[in-house]
């Protein structure tokens, strides 16, 4: 078990109707009070920004993640996180650095990840990244400024809405994991981008992880898989 202090807000979040039947389903626990599953989030990837040049492709993602990070069914307090990946189309051994530009410039040297064949940089955030993000990428002596744009559209669900869809689709699974009016597990919600956007929702307890792939615009569950945590 992780040694963490719980700091939960019991303020209920209100969602606007999205012409989805699942959002009309009340989620209940305990003595008839609606249960706020967002307080059991341990990871949220809120947005992804992309940029590409003739020399490299860049992906920036931002959100929050618990610390320490572990698949144990215990949701610890989250901190903000920005992750940047740069994949060179032809890499010849130079140092790669990345900097986010704005009123305050921040960034630094990236580390190479053999398993993904890319360069990686991560940092906490003091404020949410919104709109196009301007960056400078330095590969050896080469310096390139790019603007990364969000993959989200006006139809993309928020992570909280995606979680609501997943909970509605898995009512019985989650009900079996309620203990004393509390959910005995944690949720991970990640925005994903392939040719289109998806949401991954992980429902994690101390023994198993239920992984769901959702359409990022409708909340429909497209795939379901259970595995050991």
């Amino acid at each position: 078990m992780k040694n963490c202090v719980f700091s939960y807000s019991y303020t209920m979040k209100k969602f606007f109707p999205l012409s989805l039947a699942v959002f009309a389903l009340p989620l209940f626990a305990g003595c008839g009070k609606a249960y706020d599953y967002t307080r059991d989030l341990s990871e949220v990837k809120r947005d992804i920004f992309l940029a590409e040049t003739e020399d490299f492709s860049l992906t920036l993602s931002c959100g929050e993640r618990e610390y320490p990070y572990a698949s144990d069914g215990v949701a610890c307090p989250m901190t903000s996180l920005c992750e940047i990946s740069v994949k060179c189309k032809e890499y010849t051994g130079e140092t790669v650095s990345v900097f986010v530009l704005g009123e305050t410039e921040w960034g630094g040297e990236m580390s190479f990840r053999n398993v993904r064949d890319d360069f990686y940089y991560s940092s906490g955030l003091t404020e949410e990244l919104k709109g196009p993000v301007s960056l400078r990428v330095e590969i050896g002596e080469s310096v390139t400024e790019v603007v990364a744009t969000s993959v989200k559209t006006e139809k993309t669900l928020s992570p909280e809405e995606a979680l609501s869809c997943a909970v509605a689709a898995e009512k019985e699974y989650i009900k079996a994991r309620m203990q004393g009016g509390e959910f005995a597990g944690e949720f991970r919600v990640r925005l994903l981008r392939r040719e289109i956007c998806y949401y991954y929702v992980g429902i994690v307890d101390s023994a198993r992880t239920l992984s769901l792939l959702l359409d990022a615009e409708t909340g429909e569950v497209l795939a379901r898989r259970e595995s050991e945590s």
Side-chain angles (χ1 to χ4, degrees):
M1 296 292 291
K2 290 175 285 187
N3 181 17
C4 60
V5 178
F6 292 94
S7 177
Y8 288 142
S9 169
Y10 285 83
T11 302
M12 295 307 301
K13 299 194 175 185
K14 298 181 180 179
F15 303 113
F16 291 102
L18 296 173
S19 68
L20 293 171
V22 292
F23 288 112
L25 293 174
L27 306 176
F28 294 98
C31 300
K33 293 184 179 180
Y35 186 87
D36 184 6
Y37 291 97
T38 63
R39 69 189 191 181
D40 297 310
L41 284 166
S42 62
E43 181 182 9
V44 183
K45 182 178 288 187
R46 297 191 175 277
D47 208 342
I48 300 171
F49 300 86
L50 303 178
E52 187 168 6
T53 72
E54 294 180 353
D55 300 317
F56 62 83
S57 59
L58 180 147
T59 302
L60 182 154
S61 64
C62 56
E64 301 93 48
R65 181 183 293 173
E66 68 173 356
Y67 183 83
Y69 187 67
S71 296
D72 56 6
V74 179
C76 285
M78 296 190 294
T79 58
S80 64
L81 179 66
C82 175
E83 298 178 287
I84 305 174
S85 165
V86 170
K87 195 160 192 175
C88 298
K89 296 180 179 178
E90 289 186 14
Y91 178 63
T92 57
E94 301 95 339
T95 298
V96 178
S97 299
V98 65
F99 299 90
V100 177
L101 309 179
E103 292 185 7
T104 302
E105 181 179 306
W106 55 272
E109 185 174 335
M110 309 183 79
S111 58
F112 184 70
R113 300 188 295 187
N114 285 302
V115 71
R116 298 196 178 186
D117 192 31
D118 69 349
F119 288 84
Y120 175 79
Y121 179 86
S122 66
S123 174
L125 290 172
T126 57
E127 60 183 26
E128 184 180 355
L129 290 176
K130 295 181 180 180
V133 180
S134 297
L135 303 103
R136 183 175 72 251
V137 178
E138 301 176 359
I139 304 175
E141 298 298 321
S142 174
V143 178
T144 306
E145 290 192 6
V146 296
V147 176
T149 56
S150 173
V151 300
K152 296 173 68 174
T153 71
E154 59 183 15
K155 296 181 179 180
T156 305
L157 301 179
S158 70
E160 290 78 12
E161 290 165 342
L163 175 61
S164 180
C165 289
V167 170
E170 295 292 338
K171 294 189 297 295
E172 294 303 317
Y173 187 90
I174 291 171
K175 181 179 179 182
R177 286 156 178 78
M178 300 298 294
Q179 297 179 5
E182 301 287 333
F183 177 63
E186 58 185 317
F187 296 100
R188 296 173 178 170
V189 182
R190 304 174 190 147
L191 181 65
L192 305 176
R193 175 70 179 183
R194 298 298 181 261
E195 293 183 357
I196 61 173
C197 289
Y198 303 92
Y199 270 107
Y200 163 84
V201 177
I203 305 173
V204 184
D205 62 28
S206 59
R208 302 193 66 76
T209 296
L210 174 60
S211 297
L212 305 175
L213 184 68
L214 276 62
D215 184 298
E217 294 187 358
T218 68
E220 177 187 359
V221 177
L222 304 175
R224 183 184 191 277
R225 179 172 64 88
E226 289 188 59
S227 60
E228 294 183 0
S229 295

